[in-house]
Amino acid sequence: MATATTTDAQKTFDRSKIPTLGPPSKVSLPPIVTRQLSNGLKLMIVEQHEIPVADFILVVGGGGTMDPSSKGGLANLTATMLTEGTTSRTSLQIADQIAYLGVSLAAGSSWDASTLSLHAPTAQLDSALALFAEVALKPAFPQEEFERIRKNRLTDLIQLKDRPTAIASQAYASILYGSEHPYGHSLIGNEGSVNAISVADLKAYYRSNFLPNNATLIIVGDVKPAQIERKINAIFGSWQRGSVTPFTFGAAPKAEATTVYLIDKPGAAQSSFRIGSIGVPRSTKDYFALNVLNTILGGSFTSRLNQNLRETRGYTYGARSAFDMRRSAGPFTASAEIVTAKTDSGLIEFFKELNAIRDTVPAVELNKAKRYLQLGLPGEFETSQQIASQLVPVALYGLPLDYYNNYVQRIDAIGQADVQRVARQYIDPKSLAIVIVGDRKSIEAGLRAVNAGPLSIRDFTGRPISQ
Amino acid sequence: MKKRLLVSLCYLIAGVAAEVRAQSVPKIGFEKYTLPNGLEVILHEDHSTPIVTVNTWYKVGSGDEKPGRTGFAHLFEHVMFMGSQNVGVGVFDKELEAAGGDNNGSTTEDRTNYYENIPSNALPLALWLDADRMGFLLPTMDLAKLDLQRDVVKNERRQSVDNVPYGRADEVILAALYPKTHPYSWSVIGSMTDLSAASLDDVKSFFRTYYAPNNATLTIAGDFDPASTKALVRQYFGDIPRGPALPARPTVAPIVLARDTFIVLEDRVQLPRAFYTWPTVKLFDKDDAALDVLAAVLASDKNSRLYKKLIYEMQVAQSVRASQQSARLASKFEIDVTPKPGQSLMDIDKVVQAEIQRLTSEGITERELARVKNSYKASFINRLASVQGKADILNSYNYMAGTPDYVQQDALRYDRVTRADVQRVARQYLGKPKVVLTVVPEGKTEMMLKANGGVR
């Protein structure tokens, strides 16, 4: 039946021919209006009047990088505590107001910043902004709420042991960076550091980082710049500026020869792979070349790692890679959850791809990756929430305001030689940390036989244990 | 004490200033028509961003499977990306990515969906790809393609069920809640045994039965020209033949449990977790929205009943969740709670029962109802932010409510819920027998929750 219909159809058009596409729309991203209040708080405003909502992200410099080595998790706990009580509202009153207004208000932290985000229907904007400012500027850090949050965090840390993916990611960071470097710690700390943190630490962290001259407020949505600036000035104008402590990074640890670190998770149905090395900071001049490289290697569904390990061999539900770029050099990581029985074969395929990407890439593959990045850009700027989050790196890393408008050209400029150069420079198969969390008794012999490097047995935190 | 008093005063003032202003849920404009072969087409224009989404719903889900062949609708979702007569293996993803798009699919007990998010100029490409697999999947389908995706799906199951703490709870609950012949008694992902058992003939007959234009709805939302798009849809989909008459859809009797059932499941977890599940009414039934509100009143923000009591005040639990999980044939109301280390589920259970009892006898406050209604209202507006969200809403209402134009009526369901409704559904549904599963750390079956005092 299908054949007959195909014949009929071919009378009018040829189904076997892929449609030719017209030219894509030119990327035109919404203009960003910038303002600065007299206390130094920078504003980035984008108007978008599609639906009656607005998004706000207060980006405050600092973040987990600033955690003292014995107090990992401090920046994160400080952010968590912003919504746990202000000088005029209790934790429960804040939660009640958020739900009553039908808004989202959430605090978080990354390596380089603390963020406070508000998403609100414009009908509730004034009340929502008042709450947002109160939480940002007048947190009380009540002792009893902190003890509750601490107890919660300590239980979270116990529960992490149930999740091989979380164990793998944490052990990988601590093996790559060691315990001296901030990036070797966990953003949420460990049992010892969480117990060592006091309310006084939170207050000190807040005082030295939450300063208007260390912050940008991103505003996107159904607002008018002049009007919203007046509102923001009225509620954030009295925020007192202060001196921002610059942070200096110690040297990253020296790279070691390729080593396999095995962490036992008895009975695990899959082995969690984290493979890579210390990568680059966000300020790298190779940003665009690395973006193209990673798209080809493991940054998209049709990337080499995913095609090989998932679509050709069926070893996994997905394989990927990423350069995590921060103020200082974050990790490059290739990762996948591989079925236990194929752990050794999976390692061989990872190596094949990490070696092969150093050779030149065919033009057709390069062009596919470039078009994926270039043509996909407008889709990242559809909703006010998306636009606001796209502006966070602009605010945080001082990118030019026309950064996204020049993005397509910058990608255009990347050629085969650039991809090959950065692949050889940043991916060295002779110097990789390979962390595998899985059922040791099923996978150890196979891993030894692959002989990718010496095999070291580690505990859940990445520390060596006797074999 | 003084400080507390001051806080309350400020709060009263803030409360007055924070009067919530009414905001209605906007309509979604659309056009719907049906091709002669039965394919429903829904178009929604939105030119604010130069992107378009193509969202195809096939009215088939795991509820249409047969015992022994579970997980098949979802496995089939994967097979649909493995190439068709004019689209080679891997071409689907490669061409879409080269055009700046992404795509995916999802399967539930009731339906399967496929979508492509693309720059506006790539609409013909997406329609070509979707049409080819709707009309011409079988000529190039073979066992190798099936076997490959079978392996991928088994890894998806490992990654989302077997290698995840508490991951197997859901399938144990479904099997206990529904009789073996009930179409919801197995999980969407299926069992390893059944995934292994699927044959190439199963794939072919499944395709011929359900993947026909007369069992599908194609929704296009975003930046497109309606006249030329209709011509493209006619060209690509118009001559795909209508499928045979669809098999009779399952109908099921309401689930009535004779008594509470207590089950224990050992898992590689540090802390136990108890799951309470009650059978409830299906999606859009008159009590469905009130059950949603009840779930939010019990466990959502810090002020919700169980969160406030167990996590905030007593600090005996690490997490608590409640939900009315609505589906086309039947729904379930679920509460799950994880104790903090050293806390007993038997003790926590007494608090859970007491809170439900208190809600049943005293009802909820105006403030609780307002909080939930306002949050729902906001979520209705938020779902309209992206063309992908709007396409999914249109398709979902088209299938589940019989018309794509239902967003405002859906929002009204929540507006109409009263305090008395919430109190009544709590009594009517949570007062009846339930399934109670405890997932315990391996070897610690003594941690399981059993009949506890006043419980049936």
Side-chain angles (χ1 to χ4, degrees), chain B residues 1-249:
Chain B
M1 282 303 271
K2 263 185 173 168
K3 197 176 164 215
R4 283 276 174 199
L5 187 63
L6 184 65
V7 166
S8 319
L9 275 173
C10 290
Y11 177 60
L12 275 178
I13 296 160
V16 171
E19 198 52 46
V20 167
R21 288 168 50 201
Q23 193 164 27
S24 58
V25 175
K27 263 180 95 73
I28 313 176
F30 73 94
E31 182 185 349
K32 178 179 165 181
Y33 61 100
T34 306
L35 295 185
N37 61 9
L39 178 68
E40 292 180 310
V41 183
I42 301 169
L43 305 178
H44 165 75
E45 279 184 78
D46 172 354
H47 298 283
S48 57
T49 310
I51 57 172
V52 61
T53 189
V54 178
N55 188 318
T56 309
W57 276 42
Y58 288 93
K59 296 169 187 171
V60 55
S62 61
D64 296 297
E65 293 162 356
K66 294 182 181 67
R69 289 290 183 279
T70 69
F72 202 79
H74 171 255
L75 172 61
F76 195 85
E77 175 209 315
H78 281 245
V79 171
M80 281 283 273
F81 289 92
M82 290 304 281
S84 42
Q85 183 162 305
N86 301 294
V87 179
V89 176
V91 169
F92 198 102
D93 296 306
K94 281 186 180 132
E95 289 297 337
L96 270 177
E97 288 198 349
D102 61 70
N103 67 80
N104 211 335
S106 69
T107 309
T108 72
E109 53 276 74
D110 295 324
R111 96 305 183 263
T112 315
N113 95 335
Y114 297 89
Y115 61 84
E116 296 90 38
N117 300 315
I118 42 181
S120 319
N121 71 312
L123 181 57
L125 173 66
L127 295 176
W128 177 70
L129 292 168
D130 270 334
D132 210 60
R133 63 180 171 183
M134 181 187 283
F136 314 97
L137 184 85
L138 293 188
T140 61
M141 186 46 55
D142 59 25
L143 193 59
K145 290 177 179 178
L146 171 63
D147 281 344
L148 195 276
Q149 286 307 317
R150 191 199 314 270
D151 282 347
V152 172
V153 168
K154 285 180 176 179
N155 274 312
E156 181 177 0
R157 186 191 150 94
R158 290 181 186 105
Q159 195 167 322
S160 59
V161 177
D162 300 322
N163 217 29
V164 173
Y166 316 102
R168 286 175 296 145
D170 206 40
E171 61 192 17
V172 174
I173 292 166
L174 294 175
L177 187 66
Y178 297 112
K180 261 198 185 100
T181 52
H182 195 288
Y184 290 173
S185 64
W186 51 83
S187 68
V188 174
I189 193 95
S191 74
M192 288 294 192
T193 314
D194 287 2
L195 288 171
S196 299
S199 72
L200 190 59
D201 276 349
D202 290 333
V203 168
K204 291 188 171 173
S205 89
F206 198 76
F207 181 82
R208 290 194 190 103
T209 308
Y210 293 108
Y211 282 73
N214 47 311
N215 197 38
T217 307
L218 175 74
T219 295
I220 302 171
D223 178 35
F224 63 88
D225 167 61
S228 58
T229 299
K230 283 182 196 170
L232 281 173
V233 168
R234 201 179 320 119
Q235 175 178 330
Y236 286 124
F237 291 91
D239 61 4
I240 297 173
R242 178 186 279 271
L246 289 153
R249 281 349 236 274

Side-chain angles (χ1 to χ4, degrees), chain B residues 107-410:
Chain B
T107 309
T108 72
E109 53 276 74
D110 295 324
R111 96 305 183 263
T112 315
N113 95 335
Y114 297 89
Y115 61 84
E116 296 90 38
N117 300 315
I118 42 181
S120 319
N121 71 312
L123 181 57
L125 173 66
L127 295 176
W128 177 70
L129 292 168
D130 270 334
D132 210 60
R133 63 180 171 183
M134 181 187 283
F136 314 97
L137 184 85
L138 293 188
T140 61
M141 186 46 55
D142 59 25
L143 193 59
K145 290 177 179 178
L146 171 63
D147 281 344
L148 195 276
Q149 286 307 317
R150 191 199 314 270
D151 282 347
V152 172
V153 168
K154 285 180 176 179
N155 274 312
E156 181 177 0
R157 186 191 150 94
R158 290 181 186 105
Q159 195 167 322
S160 59
V161 177
D162 300 322
N163 217 29
V164 173
Y166 316 102
R168 286 175 296 145
D170 206 40
E171 61 192 17
V172 174
I173 292 166
L174 294 175
L177 187 66
Y178 297 112
K180 261 198 185 100
T181 52
H182 195 288
Y184 290 173
S185 64
W186 51 83
S187 68
V188 174
I189 193 95
S191 74
M192 288 294 192
T193 314
D194 287 2
L195 288 171
S196 299
S199 72
L200 190 59
D201 276 349
D202 290 333
V203 168
K204 291 188 171 173
S205 89
F206 198 76
F207 181 82
R208 290 194 190 103
T209 308
Y210 293 108
Y211 282 73
N214 47 311
N215 197 38
T217 307
L218 175 74
T219 295
I220 302 171
D223 178 35
F224 63 88
D225 167 61
S228 58
T229 299
K230 283 182 196 170
L232 281 173
V233 168
R234 201 179 320 119
Q235 175 178 330
Y236 286 124
F237 291 91
D239 61 4
I240 297 173
R242 178 186 279 271
L246 289 153
R249 281 349 236 274
T251 52
V252 294
I255 298 297
V256 182
L257 302 175
R259 64 192 72 79
D260 283 347
T261 306
F262 294 90
I263 316 168
V264 66
L265 174 68
E266 295 180 57
D267 197 3
R268 295 184 300 273
V269 293
Q270 309 289 318
L271 301 171
R273 177 177 293 168
F275 298 80
Y276 304 77
T277 309
W278 292 265
T280 55
V281 291
K282 61 190 181 185
L283 178 70
F284 295 141
D285 181 277
K286 67 175 178 48
D287 288 341
D288 181 47
L291 284 160
D292 274 329
V293 174
L294 172 63
V297 167
L298 283 173
S300 51
D301 66 314
K302 286 195 197 94
N303 292 286
S304 59
R305 299 274 172 122
L306 293 174
Y307 188 102
K308 188 173 168 190
K309 195 70 171 185
L310 294 168
I311 299 182
Y312 191 88
E313 288 174 3
M314 299 174 72
Q315 299 181 31
V316 291
Q318 178 69 359
S319 70
V320 61
R321 296 179 296 195
S323 59
Q324 153 79 349
Q325 296 169 28
S326 312
R328 211 164 55 89
L329 301 175
S331 306
K332 56 195 167 83
F333 190 97
E334 194 162 280
I335 298 174
D336 70 67
V337 57
T338 311
K340 282 210 153 56
Q343 298 294 332
S344 137
L345 273 172
M346 292 299 275
D347 292 343
I348 287 175
D349 178 65
K350 285 188 184 140
V351 182
V352 171
Q353 298 297 338
E355 282 301 312
I356 293 172
Q357 187 53 49
R358 190 164 72 90
L359 192 152
T360 306
S361 55
E362 296 166 20
I364 63 169
T365 66
E366 275 302 335
R367 184 80 180 179
E368 284 176 298
L369 186 62
R371 271 202 309 260
V372 176
K373 284 188 175 185
N374 293 344
S375 296
Y376 262 98
K377 181 72 70 71
S379 75
F380 272 102
I381 294 172
N382 290 337
R383 286 163 68 203
L384 306 180
S386 71
V387 290
Q388 192 187 344
K390 286 190 283 189
D392 224 48
I393 289 174
L394 290 166
N395 253 344
S396 167
Y397 288 138
N398 183 61
Y399 182 27
M400 301 295 184
T403 168
D405 188 16
Y406 203 70
V407 66
Q408 289 168 313
Q409 287 100 304
D410 194 6

Side-chain angles (χ1 to χ4, degrees), chain A residues 1-114:
Chain A
M1 194 149 65
T3 321
T5 320
T6 312
T7 316
D8 288 347
Q10 279 166 348
K11 284 176 194 158
T12 46
F13 78 107
D14 183 357
R15 222 177 245 286
S16 71
K17 278 215 178 103
I18 186 164
T20 33
L21 305 185
S25 301
K26 213 177 151 331
V27 182
S28 72
L29 303 171
I32 306 165
V33 175
T34 58
R35 295 279 188 272
Q36 188 157 22
L37 305 190
S38 56
N39 59 9
L41 177 65
K42 293 188 277 295
L43 309 183
M44 294 170 66
I45 307 165
V46 174
E47 284 185 71
Q48 206 220 27
H49 301 287
E50 226 180 298
I51 55 167
V53 298
D55 278 274
F56 299 77
I57 306 179
L58 181 67
V59 182
V60 180
T65 307
M66 307 292 272
D67 290 349
S69 65
S70 61
K71 292 184 178 173
L74 174 58
N76 183 284
L77 283 171
T78 306
T80 303
M81 284 297 293
L82 293 180
T83 51
E84 294 294 344
T86 66
T87 49
S88 48
R89 271 185 247 239
T90 64
S91 172
L92 290 180
Q93 287 166 345
I94 293 166
D96 172 86
Q97 188 72 343
I98 290 169
Y100 186 67
L101 293 173
V103 303
S104 325
L105 175 64
S109 68
S110 64
W111 287 105
D112 295 323
S114 308

